[in-house]
Amino acid sequence: MTLSLKAQKKNAPNIILILADDMGFSDLGCYGGEVQTPNINRLAQEGIRYKQFYNAARCCPTRASLVTGLYPHQAGMGWMAAADLGTPAYQDNLNDQCVTIAEVLKPAGYSTYMTGKWHLTNERKIDGYVTDNWPVQRGFDRYFGIIPGGANYYTPVVYSNNQRYKAPDNFYLTDAISDSSVRYIQDHFSDHKNKPLFMYVAYTAPHWPLHAPKEVIEKYKKTYKGGWDALRAARFKKQKEIGLFNADAKLNPRDGKVPAWNTLSDAEKEEMSMRMAIYAAQIDIMDQGVGRIVSSLKAAGALDNTLIFFLSDNGACAEFISSGKSKAVDGTEDTFESYRINWANVSSTPFKEYKHFTHEGGIATPLIVHWPAGVKSSLNGQFVSEYGHLTDIMATCVDVAGASYPSTFKGHAIVPMQGKSLQPHFTGASNDRGKIYWEHEANIALRDGKWKLVAKTEEGGGFNPAALQLYDMEQDPTEIKDLSKEYPELVKTMYADWDQWAHQIGAFPLDTREYNVRMRAYRRVINGSFDDNLGGWNAKVDDQAAADISIDERGKISGAKSAMITMRRPAAKPADVGLLWAFPVKKGERFQIRLKTTSNMPASFIARLEKVGGNAAKIINEPIAVSPLIKNYQFTSAAVPEAGNYRLAFYFGTMKSGNRVWLDDVELITLNK
């Protein structure tokens, strides 16, 4: 029976939202997999599972949508935290037109906690230690985890509230996330037992790199020697047996980029089976942590009235990663590997495509809901057949907590919730979900009832409406038979609907550039006003006793912030103290450098545009004499003679003891675009 609003407020449930990272649809035991996940399986058996629940195809967009209840673009996270692409929808930093679940539940009396991966702050801001959009600034009372998107499991930089530090010895990130979650639960019921809690546990497992302790890997060393072809068939067979798919459903063929297992050499089979063994171990360790979280709730007498969600941020990851000191595939800290498209194709069983894309393999996630006091017990172990979306999590939290979703927050108008509460499903009723939309890297989709419109766009290409496909998801849940030619008018109508939505949320212009192309373009957008502190700059001080480079927030030049260089004693060489900004350059390009500067007394430093490397070519090499008067400078380069990595560099080693210089409004202008 659904609780009344009054009862909800009086006995509001604790809410724990658990998110896996890069885990495919079929990896969990309760979704057809062979990985040992007894604790997550138990949540499914004692709760409900969704056959069709959707994420946003990639880590940052999913996390933005999950915590705000909006589509990613509406929260400012249309792409990735790696770059601001220059429009509000793609600023790729959580904006102030949204609120997080934590910000909504705190006024309803909740204590709020987060552990794990944030990945909702632009990486340049993280580099500059700009904390205004970190978890504790977005409503969480306590936080432990990693603010950026990925890390070595053994040696990450970790964050506690707003402090960051190197991980201690004998550290493993998944265990640290689990242990911190348990500690927060224990502390909460010790110190705030009369308040409900909301906790967001964002695991990094099983995202690359393939890192896991040897003893856990050993459990799986023999499991995957039969190869991916046999495993895909076994998973799909189990998915049908447990009722996830009906007997008529079809398994997509093996990806054409993946060779048949029996064509591999014995050495290749050994290496590839080891990759999947490590990946499985990463999920296993996460499951153990979920078990400890559940045990801590049980010990506090709080499990029955705790609503637990478990889901994944995107489909299986087919990315090719290999960048560690060691190329051994053994799960140790000197390696940095992925499990490749070969095993991602297994994790996506029975779907096509992967993370990045909006076919089911990219956006379908397991969703498990466990809430003994709120889910009808006769539904335990059953599947919900209606589809749902990330945005529904916020709506559900607001609903069950009796909270109020604001129209304004801290002086900003807030975009209305986009989802629908899942609570009707907890009693076997319908929530009439309606339309769901997607756009990521010009991969698009629209789900409307049984119909799904979808298109894949290759990186570096262009979006083409001719690529649109249409599927009947009731008859064909694995997207085998494209019906677009049979229903051209429906395709036209649905695409017009999608196009209107995409314009409303600011998705246009659709960007199909490759990741590195976007990043190279972003390096041309210089942090010259120091709004992101020193984010993106390399502050070089070879002799720490000689000088200090910092941010002055006293408005010395034009904006609130400027770079401040203080000399304590002369440096050995001019380049011993510098402020450097690297960026890629094409042959023949010309640049203009502009800047403003002032000082506490007459001083001089050097401005250069130079090639990075040994005998670096100096395209601009200008001495700058400064005084207490604010002065503008402008320099224009000749054509760059060869392509490569260059840098804008200011060298201060020529300054004398006691000299202090401020630098602001640095601009890098390309003259022959």
Side-chain angles (χ1 to χ4, degrees), residues 372-426:
V375 174
K376 193 174 180 180
S377 61
S378 62
L379 298 177
N380 287 353
Q382 295 190 22
F383 288 100
V384 176
S385 294
E386 291 194 350
Y387 60 84
H389 183 256
L390 294 164
T391 54
D392 302 337
I393 302 294
M394 167 71 90
T396 307
C397 290
V398 170
D399 187 8
V400 302
S404 297
Y405 184 90
S407 58
T408 61
F409 188 75
K410 295 183 178 179
H412 300 283
I414 300 301
V415 179
M417 284 190 294
Q418 301 296 295
K420 285 190 174 181
S421 174
L422 301 173
Q423 188 163 206
H425 296 156
F426 303 169

Side-chain angles (χ1 to χ4, degrees), residues 508-543:
F508 284 97
L510 299 183
D511 193 338
T512 64
R513 293 175 297 170
E514 295 177 358
Y515 191 103
N516 289 336
V517 173
R518 298 178 195 229
M519 294 305 299
R520 287 194 292 269
Y522 187 44
R523 287 302 302 174
R524 301 289 191 106
V525 183
I526 194 166
N527 175 25
S529 60
F530 301 97
D531 291 337
D532 296 333
N533 295 335
L534 293 174
W537 290 94
N538 175 17
K540 177 188 177 187
V541 182
D542 287 348
D543 181 352

Side-chain angles (χ1 to χ4, degrees), residues 126-194:
I126 299 171
D127 180 45
Y129 218 92
V130 179
T131 63
D132 59 351
N133 202 28
W134 291 16
V136 295
Q137 280 71 40
R138 295 307 304 239
F140 291 95
D141 296 325
R142 296 176 72 181
Y143 169 73
F144 169 84
I146 60 170
I147 299 294
N152 187 303
Y153 282 72
Y154 299 105
T155 60
V157 172
V158 292
Y159 298 73
S160 179
N161 293 338
N162 288 336
Q163 301 301 312
R164 62 183 174 193
Y165 55 92
K166 285 290 292 180
D169 294 338
N170 302 313
F171 184 90
Y172 186 71
L173 184 54
T174 306
D175 284 337
I177 292 169
S178 299
D179 293 344
S180 297
S181 302
V182 169
R183 180 180 176 184
Y184 288 173
I185 290 169
Q186 292 172 339
D187 289 351
H188 174 84
F189 288 109
S190 172
D191 301 336
H192 307 289
K193 60 184 178 182
N194 294 322

Side-chain angles (χ1 to χ4, degrees), residues 13 78 84 92 115 219 288 337 352 442 453 510 513 519 561 646 669:
D84 181 341
D92 297 317
T115 58
K219 293 169 60 174
Q288 294 176 38
E337 297 286 327
K352 66 179 73 172
L453 185 74
L510 299 183
R513 293 175 297 170
M519 294 305 299
K561 298 179 181 179
Y646 286 73
I669 301 168

